[in-house]
Amino acid sequence: HFGFEMVIFRAERGVVPVAWASHLAITDESGERFLYDQRSEIGGRVDRSVPGGGYDLAIGLDVAPGILDLTAAPWTIVGASGVDHLSAEGTATSGTRFGLDLAIDSHGLPPALHDTDGYVDFGPAGGSYYYSRPRMDASGILTLGDETLQVTGDAWFDHQWGDFIAVGGGGWDWFAVNLADGTALTLSLVRNADGSYPLVYGTLVDADGTTRHLDRDSFSVDTSATWDSPLTGVRYPAAWHITIPGEALVIDLVPTVAAQELDTRSTTGVIYWEGSQVVTASRAGVPLEGRAYVELTGYRPPGT
């Protein structure tokens, strides 16, 4: 089993040219290895002419100080209305080539709007429109070095945009969990620099697509272990116990591979951890299988 992440960030600030950054990562769970690559571009393009109001994004340039690789094949995300195609190939820091070519399909399930109406208020920091498609079928090709694998599985699509610059100043913990009974769960815990949490919320999606907002009093997240990165020295939480009493849900998460850290200072200026999880869950005492991803930002000490 493998986990994957493919993300495109877009930043626009006044008269400064639009900046793009993209990250690609594969977690080889049985092989206990984590591969990632990154790209950035100034300017770039977005094609909004796709029928149905879709999008066609491409990050085509590897950027290093003073060097542009114009021969690199673009990383692309193309699609509309919950039917998408992902294509990208990168090189990990170990020199291993890896990539994916996947079709993902939500099969008509409606998007889940976060914070009830799809708008998350960050207060003085602005706001964000945010929706997810938490249960999408995925199929296609995964490449790892000389191996080419035909794969099927699940995908989770997030789309977030707005006028926010930063929230809290201390980073955030983000959880995405799919359970075997069709339940999908998102939790977001946003920290201040002093360790307090100005923004905590969740979204629970039933098997039929019905969405329910969870306020901070509806659930709890407790950390039971930590992991220290041997590459950056950053200490991250590394195991979580989640309870949602109103849903009779208990979820325990442990990373499938400890080292799922991305040092993206060359493209986004940040170091973060994002990776797949081993899920142990139950509803009203009945065990449930599941899959999950966790994203952790803001754990890099100031000045490092």
Side-chain angles (χ1 to χ4, degrees):
H1 190 254
F2 302 89
F4 78 93
E5 170 199 355
M6 185 177 181
V7 59
I8 294 178
F9 301 102
R10 178 180 184 270
E12 184 175 356
R13 297 287 179 257
V15 298
V16 178
V18 174
W20 304 82
S22 187
H23 302 158
L24 175 70
I26 298 290
T27 303
D28 178 358
E29 296 180 3
S30 59
E32 296 188 348
R33 58 177 172 166
F34 180 68
L35 309 172
Y36 75 94
D37 199 0
Q38 56 191 310
R39 292 184 177 185
S40 62
E41 183 173 325
I42 303 298
R45 62 276 187 195
V46 55
D47 181 0
R48 301 188 184 280
S49 64
V50 178
Y55 50 86
D56 186 345
L57 304 179
I59 300 292
L61 304 179
D62 282 315
V63 178
I67 300 174
L68 296 179
D69 181 3
L70 298 176
T71 66
W75 293 359
T76 60
I77 299 177
V78 182
S81 304
V83 180
D84 305 288
H85 183 260
L86 318 179
S87 180
E89 185 176 284
T91 304
T93 53
S94 63
T96 301
R97 296 290 294 174
F98 69 100
L100 50 80
D101 192 291
L102 299 177
I104 59 174
D105 194 334
S106 65
H107 297 290
L109 283 175
L113 305 181
H114 295 287
D115 205 5
T116 304
D117 60 358
Y119 182 77
V120 182
D121 186 1
F122 292 161
S128 168
Y129 295 96
Y130 183 17
Y131 71 87
S132 298
R133 297 187 184 275
R135 291 190 302 274
M136 304 182 75
D137 287 338
S139 62
I141 299 295
L142 176 68
T143 57
L144 291 171
D146 295 332
E147 291 186 281
T148 299
L149 306 173
Q150 187 77 37
V151 294
T152 59
D154 307 317
W156 180 300
F157 173 84
D158 263 18
H159 188 192
Q160 187 171 17
W161 73 101
D163 62 355
F164 59 97
I165 297 176
V167 182
W172 61 83
D173 299 352
W174 172 86
F175 303 84
V177 183
N178 279 337
L179 298 176
D181 66 353
T183 301
L185 174 68
T186 309
L187 300 178
S188 294
L189 290 72
V190 183
R191 297 186 308 280
N192 272 326
D194 63 6
S196 61
Y197 288 85
L199 181 62
V200 175
Y201 67 95
T203 303
L204 190 141
V205 186
D206 292 328
D208 63 359
T210 302
T211 303
R212 282 172 281 164
H213 172 71
L214 302 176
D215 61 32
R216 68 170 64 218
D217 296 325
S218 301
F219 62 91
S220 64
V221 179
D222 297 307
T223 301
S224 57
T226 59
W227 174 76
D228 293 341
S229 168
L231 299 179
T232 65
V234 178
R235 173 170 290 180
Y236 298 94
W240 301 268
H241 181 70
I242 299 169
T243 59
I244 309 176
E247 300 293 328
L249 270 176
V250 177
I251 303 169
D252 288 292
L253 304 177
V254 178
T256 57
V257 176
Q260 298 183 79
E261 179 188 49
L262 297 92
D263 184 347
T264 65
R265 283 175 286 188
S266 64
T267 57
T268 61
V270 302
I271 299 171
Y272 70 102
W273 192 103
E274 181 161 350
S276 64
Q277 307 292 311
V278 176
V279 179
T280 304
S282 64
R283 183 188 291 274
V286 178
L288 284 172
E289 294 184 350
R291 293 177 176 172
Y293 250 69
V294 173
E295 181 182 77
L296 309 169
T297 75
Y299 285 94
R300 173 184 168 195
T304 63

